[in-house]
Amino acid sequence: MNIQWYPGHMAKTKRMIAENLRLVDVVCEVIDSRIPVSSRNPDINSLTGGKPRVIILNRSDQADPAETALWSKKLSGEARCVIETDSKTGRGVNRFADAVRKAAEDKLRRAAEKNTNAIIRAMILGVPNVGKSSLINRIVGGRRAKTEDRPGVTRGKQWFTVERNLELLDTPGILWPKFEDPVTGMMLAFTGAIRDEIIDTEELAAKLMELLAERYPKAIEARYKVRPEGSGYDILTAAAIKRGCIVSGGEPDITRISTIVLDEYRSGKLGRFTLEKCTLDGSDDITG
Ligand SMILES: Nc1nc2c(ncn2[C@@H]2O[C@H](COP(=O)(O)OP(=O)(O)OP(=O)(O)O)[C@@H](O)[C@H]2O)c(=O)[nH]1
Ligand SMILES: [Mg+2]
């Protein structure tokens, strides 16, 4: 799958992270629980220069819970704290402040020794549409950060005060260099991290169907009343016929069924699916 992206974004990303890094004590890396490999920056370790990190497995409500638990365990080797959240309902978000304080415990201890008050500042980092601003709204209460169901909503950086001693920096979603890798690009497109306008909807839906039919055949069978066999296009075609998506002339309407499948996957109607499985042997460790 060929997804166009502008050149030079890598340099811009590096600059953005470097500039903000000087201002914070903790980096909060927000990951999409459905794609814990593709939604991570492969250069995160070098880019964040050893700053204490909290990993947030967001959208946990949309992922396979058993898989998320495995990922949580695996990623705990890379962060001071890993938490699972659903920023839509707020589930798990109550663990956030403590996680950040734990990550910043060196600074807090030094301040306590000097009898001073330390303000902990944390930067929220992640791919577009993963739920960074929603997470912040859940933490601070209300709808102070702008959120929308499409990538590219947050434009500039913005500070939020959680409590007297804790401040959060919301940042625009950024795509990573590995995004040019076709599998990574596809995973990010499935979940909605990449604008749909630059993607071939039918090709994307066919690829998603193929993957889901392989991983979660029963769910596909139950939802679309089709046999989860053959190519992604074959399954889409069968689903179009079952759903009555037919164009004049009697041909199956692949465009329409493609949009339906992508929407149903993204809204969670199909079920809780993790598209990237966790192996605990370290073979899918992308940060090296
Ligand atoms: N189901 C579910 N939806 C979520 C979750 N977190 C965020 N969303 C939804 O995802 C959409 C995007 O959320 P945002 O908070 O705007 O995402 P963002 O990471 O700030 O996006 P950018 O600013 O564009 O980078 C919104 O429609 C949210 O309601 C979650 O944990 N579960
Ligand atoms: Mg945002």
Side-chain angles (χ1 to χ4, degrees):
M1 174 161 301
N2 187 17
I3 299 168
Q4 299 297 323
W5 191 245
Y6 59 90
H9 73 277
M10 184 52 201
K12 201 174 148 201
T13 299
K14 276 192 170 148
R15 215 164 41 237
M16 193 286 265
I17 294 178
E19 275 166 18
N20 293 328
L21 208 57
R22 289 183 287 119
L23 311 174
V24 301
D25 309 294
V26 176
V27 172
C28 299
E29 185 191 1
V30 186
I31 299 177
D32 187 326
S33 302
R34 298 168 296 176
I35 49 166
V37 179
S38 292
S39 62
R40 294 193 75 195
N41 186 330
D43 295 331
I44 185 90
N45 289 345
S46 60
L47 284 174
T48 58
K51 279 265 157 144
R53 197 181 323 157
V54 173
I55 291 180
I56 296 119
L57 281 159
N58 193 45
R59 292 185 176 274
S60 60
D61 57 306
Q62 296 178 301
D64 183 338
E67 279 293 322
T68 307
L70 288 176
W71 275 113
S72 195
K73 195 165 163 195
K74 178 167 181 134
L75 293 168
S76 63
E78 288 186 48
R80 298 273 175 100
C81 228
V82 181
I83 61 171
E84 297 172 21
T85 57
D86 161 6
S87 299
K88 198 150 192 168
T89 64
R91 198 183 162 96
V93 173
N94 58 356
R95 293 188 52 214
F96 179 84
D98 277 345
V100 172
R101 275 191 286 265
K102 190 172 166 207
E105 64 190 0
D106 296 345
K107 182 175 178 178
L108 288 171
R109 194 181 320 112
R110 280 195 303 273
E113 279 163 12
K114 287 193 225 149
N115 248 331
T116 55
N117 241 330
I119 293 180
I120 304 302
R121 295 188 180 89
M123 163 160 79
I124 311 287
L125 214 58
V127 293
N129 207 40
V130 65
K132 300 174 293 300
S133 300
S134 303
L135 176 73
I136 289 180
N137 282 338
R138 280 285 163 194
I139 296 161
V140 300
R143 299 187 48 83
R144 291 174 42 209
K146 193 174 160 202
T147 68
E148 242 179 90
D149 192 12
R150 63 177 175 85
V153 172
T154 303
R155 293 299 182 146
K157 58 182 192 184
Q158 192 182 358
W159 282 101
F160 294 87
T161 303
V162 180
E163 44 197 64
R164 207 158 42 89
N165 296 332
L166 180 56
E167 293 176 6
L168 301 182
L169 179 63
D170 191 10
T171 64
I174 36 186
L175 290 165
W176 321 124
K178 259 194 77 174
F179 162 68
E180 275 109 3
D181 170 79
V183 175
T184 305
M186 212 165 61
M187 293 292 171
L188 291 167
F190 288 156
T191 55
I194 296 172
R195 282 184 300 121
D196 278 339
E197 298 89 87
I198 60 168
I199 302 162
D200 181 329
T201 308
E202 292 181 21
E203 193 185 343
L204 188 68
K207 290 250 164 63
L208 178 63
M209 195 51 124
E210 214 165 284
L211 183 64
L212 293 178
E214 185 196 318
R215 291 271 170 80
Y216 302 96
K218 287 203 180 85
I220 292 302
E221 205 165 353
R223 179 91 196 166
Y224 298 107
K225 312 281 184 283
V226 294
R227 291 177 71 81
E229 288 160 11
S231 73
Y233 270 107
D234 293 341
I235 306 171
L236 276 182
T237 306
I241 294 166
K242 284 277 177 185
R243 281 279 174 103
C245 297
I246 307 289
V247 283
S248 55
E251 291 293 310
D253 189 343
I254 303 300
T255 309
R256 208 165 125 228
I257 193 71
S258 295
T259 307
I260 291 176
V261 168
L262 288 171
D263 280 353
E264 293 191 348
Y265 169 69
R266 290 173 183 162
S267 66
K269 281 198 187 104
L270 285 177
R272 302 177 68 174
F273 303 144
T274 301
L275 301 180
E276 293 173 332
K277 278 187 174 292
C278 181
T279 52
L280 276 171
D281 64 2
S283 61
D284 53 358
D285 186 354
I286 55 156
T287 56

